[in-house]
C-alpha cells in the first residue's frame, strides 16, 4: 500500500507541475528556432545583396574602361601609336589621356592593384597604371599576356588567380586578374584586352567584415561557377573549397570539412556571378539548444522537489491512515479504541479526520441497532395503519347500508347488490394486508366501493377514469391506496357542495414512477385548512407523529404514511385545494415498489 500510495501522490503532484513546464519549454524552443531561422534568412539576404554591390563595383570599373578604350576611333589611334611609335603632339596627348583613364580607378579604388591596356604590337608595348607606356621587357608583371593569348577568342570576359612579385625584396602578392577583350576595328574579333588586378587579401577582408555569424563563410563565384573570392581565403584558398555551389538552390544544406552548413545563394543577372553564404547549422540551434537544456534542468528540479514533497506528504498521510485502521479494527473486535496522539501544531486536517473516524466507530454499533429497530417498526406500523383503515371503512359502509335499507320498501335487489360489493371489498381488504398488488386489481376493487356509494348518493357524483391500460400494466402499488382518496373527495368535497359533482382519477407513468391524481370539483379548502393538512402530512414521516391522529381526514394522513413507508426513496403525496373550486391529491410512487 505504501508504494501504491506514494506513486499515486507522486503523479498527483508532478503531472500538474511538469506538463505546463514541458509545454512552455517546447513552445519556447520552437518559437525561438523559427525566429532565429527567420533572422538568419534576413541576414543572409542582406549579406548577399552587399556582396552583389561589391562585385557590381568591380565590374563597373571594367565596363567603364571598356567603354573608353572600346571606342573604334580611340582603339584605332592607340593601336596605331603602339605599332608605329610615331611621336607627335596628338599622339602624346592621346597616350597621356589614356594613361589618366587607367590611373584614375587604380588610384581611387583600394581593391585595384593595377590596370593594363594592351594591343598586340611588334614592340611589346602596353599601358600600365602607375607606369604609363611601358613594355614587357621592362615591366615586372607580364604573366597575364600568355593567358590572354591562350584564351583569345574563347570569350570576351574571364578571370584567373595569380601571384605578382613587384620587387625583389617583397613577397608575392595574390591577385585575381579580370580580362576584358576589345574587338579589332577591322575584323570585329577580340584583339585588344583590358586587364585589372584585384587584391585577394583586400576582398577576403571585405568579406570577413560583413560576416554576421561566427563560422560563417562567404563566396563569390564567376559565371562558370569558379570561386573568385571567399572569406578567410588568402593563401589557403582552395584548400577546402566546396564544389557545385553554383548549382545549389537558393536555400540549401551541405557539409564542408565535417561541419554542417545552412546555405543561401544569390545570382547576379547582369554578369552571371553567384554569391553564396554558408552558416554553421550549430549556430542556428545554439539558442534553442540552450533553452532545451534549461527546460531539462527545470524539469529535473521540479521532479526532485515534487519527489521530496510527495515523500513527506505520503509519510504523514500513511501515519494518519494507520491510526484510522487501528481504530476501525479495534472497534470491529469490540476492543477499547487506541489512544490518538494530538497532532503537532495546528493540523486541522489531522484533527478533523481522526475525530470523525473515532465518532463513526463509536456510533457504528448503535446505528446498526437503530436501523434494525426502525425496519421492524416500519413493518409493524404498516400493518397497523392498514388495519386502522379497514374498520373505519367498514363503519362508513354499514352506515350507508343502514340508510339504504331504511329507504327500501320491499325490494331486496339493491341491498343485495350493495352487500355483494361490500363482500368483495372486505375480502380484498383482509386478504394479506401487507402485500403489493397490480394497479389494475386496485382499480377493480375501488370500483366496487364507488358502486356502493352510487347506491347511496345516486347522481350526486360521478367518477371519471383517465389512463392508458398498456402504460400502467405491470405497475404494482400498496393495496387500498385509491379508496381513501375517493372517500375524502366524496365526503369532504362533493357531499358539501350544492348540486352534482365529479371526481377525476388520472394515472400516467413517468420513467420509473407512477403518478396518480384524484381531482374533485367540490367545495375545496381555505388556505388555513390546506396549510394544516399539509403540515399533518409532513409530520407523517415521523413514526410517532400521527399515531394518535383522529378526525375526518385520517384516511389521507394514513395513506401518505403508507406511501412513505412502502417507498421511502421517492414516494410522496401532495395536496392542492382552493375554496369553491375543489381539491387535487397527487401521489408519486415507484413502480413495483
Amino acid at each position: 500500500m505504501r508504494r501504491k500510495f506514494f506513486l499515486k501522490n507522486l503523479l498527483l503532484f508532478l503531472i500538474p507541475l511538469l506538463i505546463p513546464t514541458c509545454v512552455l519549454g517546447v513552445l519556447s524552443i520552437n518559437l525561438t528556432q523559427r525566429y532565429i531561422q527567420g533572422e538568419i534568412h534576413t541576414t543572409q539576404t542582406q549579406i548577399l545583396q552587399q556582396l552583389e554591390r561589391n562585385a557590381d563595383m568591380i565590374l563597373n570599373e571594367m565596363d567603364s574602361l571598356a567603354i573608353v578604350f572600346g571606342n573604334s576611333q580611340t582603339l584605332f589611334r592607340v593601336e596605331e601609336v603602339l605599332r608605329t611609335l610615331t611621336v607627335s603632339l596628338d599622339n602624346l596627348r592621346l597616350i597621356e589621356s589614356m594613361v589618366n583613364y587607367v590611373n584614375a580607378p587604380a588610384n581611387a579604388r583600394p581593391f585595384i592593384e593595377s590596370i593594363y591596356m594592351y594591343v598586340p604590337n611588334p614592340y611589346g608595348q602596353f599601358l600600365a597604371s602607375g607606369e604609363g607606356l611601358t613594355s614587357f621587357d621592362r615591366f615586372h608583371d607580364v604573366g597575364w599576356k600568355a593567358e590572354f593569348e591562350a584564351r583569345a577568342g574563347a570569350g570576351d570576359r574571364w578571370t584567373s588567380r595569380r601571384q605578382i612579385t613587384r620587387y625583389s625584396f617583397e613577397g608575392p602578392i595574390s591577385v585575381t586578374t579580370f580580362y576584358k577583350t576589345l574587338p579589332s576595328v577591322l575584323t570585329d574579333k577580340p584583339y585588344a584586352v583590358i586587364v585589372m588586378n584585384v587584391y585577394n587579401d583586400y576582398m577576403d577582408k571585405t568579406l570577413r567584415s560583413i560576416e554576421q555569424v561566427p563560422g560563417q563563410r562567404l563566396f563569390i563565384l564567376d559565371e562558370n561557377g569558379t570561386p573568385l573570392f571567399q572569406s578567410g581565403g588568402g593563401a589557403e584558398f582552395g584548400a577546402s573549397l566546396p564544389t557545385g555551389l553554383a548549382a545549389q538552390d537558393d536555400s540549401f544544406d551541405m557539409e564542408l570539412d565535417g561541419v554542417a552548413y545552412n546555405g543561401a545563394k544569390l545570382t547576379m543577372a547582369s554578369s552571371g556571378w553567384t554569391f553564396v553564404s554558408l552558416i554553421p547549422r550549430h549556430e542556428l540551434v545554439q539558442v534553442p539548444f540552450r533553452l532545451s537544456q534549461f527546460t531539462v534542468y527545470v524539469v529535473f528540479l521540479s521532479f526532485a522537489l515534487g519527489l521530496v514533497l510527495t515523500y513527506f506528504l505520503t509519510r504523514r498521510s500513511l501515519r494518519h491512515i494507520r491510526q484510522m485502521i487501528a481504530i476501525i479494527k479495534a472497534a470491529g473486535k469490540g476492543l477499547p479504541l487506541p489512544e490518538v496522539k494530538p497532532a503537532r501544531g495546528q493540523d486541522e486536517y489531522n484533527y478533523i479526520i481522526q475525530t470523525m473516524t473515532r465518532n463513526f466507530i463509536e456510533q457504528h454499533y448503535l446505528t446498526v441497532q437503530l436501523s434494525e429497530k426502525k425496519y421492524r417498526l416500519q413493518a409493524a406500523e404498516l400493518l397497523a395503519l392498514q388495519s386502522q383503515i379497514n374498520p373505519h371503512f367498514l363503519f362508513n359502509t354499514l352506515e350507508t347500508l343502514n340508510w339504504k335499507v331504511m329507504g327500501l320498501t320491499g325490494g331486496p335487489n339493491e341491498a343485495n347488490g350493495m352487500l355483494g360489493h361490500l363482500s368483495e371489498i372486505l375480502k380484498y381488504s383482509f386478504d394479506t394486508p401487507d402485500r403489493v398488488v397490480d394497479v389494475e386489481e386496485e382499480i377493480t376493487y375501488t370500483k366496487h366501493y364507488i358502486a356502493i356509494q352510487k347506491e347511496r348518493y345516486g347522481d350526486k357524483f360521478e367518477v371519471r377514469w383517465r389512463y392508458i391500460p398498456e402504460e400502467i400494466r405491470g405497475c404494482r402499488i400498496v393495496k387500498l391506496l385509491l379508496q381513501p382518496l375517493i372517500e375524502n373527495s366524496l365526503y369532504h368535497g362533493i357531499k358539501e357542495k350544492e348540486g352534482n359533482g365529479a371526481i377525476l382519477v388520472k394515472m400516467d407513468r413517468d420513467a420509473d414512477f407512477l403518478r396518480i391524481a384524484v381531482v374533485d370539483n367540490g367545495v375545496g379548502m381555505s388556505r388555513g385548512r390546506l396549510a394544516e393538512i399539509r403540515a399533518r402530512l409532513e409530520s407523517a414521516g415521523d413514526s410517532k407523529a400521527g399515531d394518535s391522529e383522529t378526525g375526518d381526514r385520517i384516511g389521507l394522513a394514513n395513506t401518505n404514511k403508507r406511501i412513505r413507508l412502502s417507498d421511502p426513496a421517492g414516494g410522496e403525496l401532495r395536496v392542492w385545494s382552493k375554496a369553491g373550486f375543489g381539491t387535487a391529491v397527487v401521489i408519486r410512487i415507484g413502480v413495483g415498489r
Side-chain angles (χ1 to χ4, degrees):
M1 184 180 69
R2 178 186 302 177
R3 179 179 300 177
K4 182 178 180 180
F5 196 60
F6 175 77
L7 292 177
K8 180 180 178 180
N9 287 341
L10 185 64
L11 293 177
L12 183 64
F13 283 111
L14 288 184
I15 289 179
L17 184 64
L18 295 182
I19 289 181
T21 303
C22 294
V23 171
L24 182 61
V26 172
L27 289 177
S28 300
I29 292 171
N30 290 336
L31 292 176
T32 304
Q33 189 169 8
R34 291 182 181 181
Y35 174 78
I36 292 176
Q37 289 178 347
E39 288 295 315
I40 291 297
H41 177 73
T42 302
T43 301
Q44 285 186 320
T45 302
Q46 294 175 351
I47 290 175
L48 294 178
Q49 291 174 350
Q50 179 65 33
L51 293 178
E52 184 180 22
R53 288 191 291 269
N54 292 341
D56 192 53
M57 185 170 52
I58 297 174
L59 296 176
N60 285 340
E61 296 297 336
M62 289 292 292
D63 292 339
S64 298
L65 292 173
I67 292 174
V68 173
F69 290 104
N71 182 276
S72 59
Q73 183 177 1
T74 302
L75 183 61
F76 178 78
R77 294 184 59 189
V78 171
E79 181 181 359
E80 182 182 7
V81 171
L82 295 179
R83 283 180 176 276
T84 62
L85 291 180
T86 303
V87 179
S88 64
L89 181 59
D90 290 338
N91 289 343
L92 290 176
R93 289 177 178 175
L94 176 63
I95 294 300
E96 183 178 358
S97 176
M98 295 300 103
V99 171
N100 288 335
Y101 278 121
V102 172
N103 286 334
N107 296 330
R109 303 297 185 185
F111 57 84
I112 298 178
E113 191 276 335
S114 57
I115 298 176
Y116 312 136
M117 192 282 173
Y118 170 67
V119 178
N121 61 88
Y123 304 104
Q125 296 186 109
F126 61 95
L127 298 177
S129 60
E131 291 290 335
L133 186 62
T134 185
S135 60
F136 291 108
D137 56 355
R138 293 186 294 111
F139 199 69
H140 61 276
D141 180 21
V142 296
W144 53 269
K145 179 176 178 293
E147 185 167 351
F148 162 66
E149 292 174 347
R151 292 284 300 269
D156 63 341
R157 188 195 300 268
W158 69 91
T159 59
S160 65
R161 293 180 67 90
R162 301 187 304 113
Q163 300 286 330
I164 298 177
T165 302
R166 294 182 295 189
Y167 308 103
S168 59
F169 57 84
E170 185 181 55
I173 300 174
S174 178
V175 298
T176 297
T177 302
F178 293 82
Y179 300 86
K180 173 65 176 177
T181 60
L182 301 175
S184 172
V185 177
L186 299 177
T187 63
D188 197 26
K189 294 182 179 179
Y191 185 63
V193 65
I194 300 175
V195 179
M196 182 172 65
N197 295 318
V198 176
Y199 289 109
N200 290 335
D201 289 343
Y202 182 88
M203 294 301 300
D204 294 342
K205 291 178 181 179
T206 301
L207 295 182
R208 287 197 299 271
S209 66
I210 60 177
E211 291 177 353
Q212 300 293 327
V213 179
Q216 183 178 9
R217 300 186 65 176
L218 302 174
F219 299 90
I220 299 179
L221 315 177
D222 64 10
E223 64 277 6
N224 298 320
T226 303
L228 299 177
F229 308 103
Q230 71 166 342
S231 57
E236 299 179 358
F237 188 87
S240 60
L241 196 62
T243 58
L245 288 177
Q248 298 288 348
D249 297 330
D250 293 340
S251 180
F252 60 93
D253 295 322
M254 70 176 303
E255 186 173 337
L256 181 62
D257 296 337
V259 180
Y261 289 91
N262 179 265
K265 185 189 75 172
L266 176 65
T267 300
M268 190 174 182
S270 59
S271 63
W273 284 14
T274 302
F275 311 98
V276 180
S277 172
L278 299 179
I279 295 179
R281 195 175 300 167
H282 64 81
E283 292 293 335
L284 300 178
V285 299
Q286 186 174 10
V287 174
F289 178 73
R290 291 178 181 176
L291 281 176
S292 302
Q293 287 182 319
F294 179 75
T295 302
V296 172
Y297 294 151
V298 171
V299 169
F300 275 111
L301 179 61
S302 301
F303 180 81
L305 292 177
L307 195 65
V308 173
L309 181 61
T310 303
Y311 173 76
F312 284 106
L313 292 178
T314 302
R315 184 179 179 183
R316 188 187 67 172
S317 300
L318 284 175
R319 185 173 64 251
H320 295 164
I321 293 175
R322 289 193 183 99
Q323 291 177 353
M324 296 176 191
I325 293 176
I327 293 173
I328 295 173
K329 288 183 177 179
K333 295 179 180 180
L335 301 175
L337 294 178
E339 181 182 0
V340 179
K341 296 181 180 180
R344 297 178 181 178
Q346 299 296 326
D347 192 350
E348 295 84 358
Y349 174 81
N350 186 14
Y351 172 77
I352 293 173
I353 292 296
Q354 295 192 36
T355 302
M356 291 179 62
T357 304
R358 185 175 59 201
N359 292 338
F360 171 78
I361 297 301
E362 291 176 349
Q363 297 176 7
H364 178 69
Y365 180 71
L366 294 176
T367 302
V368 172
Q369 287 185 330
L370 289 175
S371 298
E372 183 178 357
K373 290 182 178 179
K374 184 178 180 181
Y375 170 77
R376 291 179 179 178
L377 180 62
Q378 287 179 348
E381 190 176 24
L382 182 61
L383 293 176
L385 289 172
Q386 181 108 17
S387 300
Q388 189 178 17
I389 292 176
N390 294 331
H392 181 69
F393 165 69
L394 181 59
F395 173 77
N396 290 334
T397 304
L398 292 176
E399 184 181 3
T400 301
L401 290 174
N402 182 46
W403 283 99
K404 188 64 179 178
V405 170
M406 289 173 54
L408 292 176
T409 58
N413 294 333
E414 294 182 1
N416 290 338
M418 294 177 66
L419 289 174
H421 290 304
L422 178 59
S423 176
E424 294 295 332
I425 294 174
L426 291 177
K427 184 188 299 185
Y428 176 68
S429 176
F430 290 118
D431 181 24
T432 315
D434 59 340
R435 77 183 179 99
V436 179
V437 299
D438 292 334
V439 179
E440 294 93 333
E441 187 177 357
E442 177 73 9
I443 293 174
T444 299
Y445 288 100
T446 302
K447 289 182 178 180
H448 285 299
Y449 169 77
I450 295 173
I452 294 175
Q453 297 298 339
K454 291 287 288 184
E455 292 294 337
R456 176 182 178 184
Y457 292 103
D459 296 334
K460 178 67 176 180
F461 75 98
E462 64 173 333
V463 179
R464 302 172 184 172
W465 298 85
R466 184 179 300 171
Y467 60 89
I468 300 175
E470 292 78 9
E471 184 177 304
I472 66 172
R473 183 171 294 122
C475 297
R476 298 178 63 80
I477 60 175
V478 178
K479 65 163 47 178
L480 293 177
L481 201 61
L482 296 178
Q483 180 267 333
L485 304 182
I486 295 178
E487 180 180 358
N488 278 327
S489 296
L490 180 60
Y491 280 89
H492 303 292
I494 297 176
K495 180 180 177 182
E496 305 295 333
K497 177 183 178 181
E498 295 182 3
N500 298 334
I503 300 174
L504 172 64
V505 182
K506 181 180 179 182
M507 301 181 186
D508 59 79
R509 186 171 180 174
D510 180 13
D512 295 331
F513 290 91
L514 177 66
R515 188 176 65 174
I516 303 174
V518 178
V519 184
D520 65 71
N521 61 351
V523 296
M525 290 182 284
S526 64
R527 291 185 178 180
R529 179 59 176 164
L530 178 61
E532 180 184 350
I533 295 296
R534 287 178 173 175
R536 294 169 71 180
L537 292 177
E538 288 295 329
S539 66
D542 185 0
S543 61
K544 295 182 179 181
D547 284 348
S548 60
E549 180 185 20
T550 60
D552 54 0
R553 289 191 181 268
I554 185 173
L556 191 62
N558 284 341
T559 300
N560 180 45
K561 183 170 293 188
R562 293 173 63 207
I563 292 173
R564 292 194 176 187
L565 289 175
S566 62
D567 186 15
E572 62 178 358
L573 183 148
R574 294 186 179 183
V575 181
W576 288 271
S577 184
K578 185 174 182 181
F581 287 89
T583 303
V585 180
V586 178
I587 295 174
R588 182 174 179 267
I589 190 168
V591 176
R593 301 190 184 191

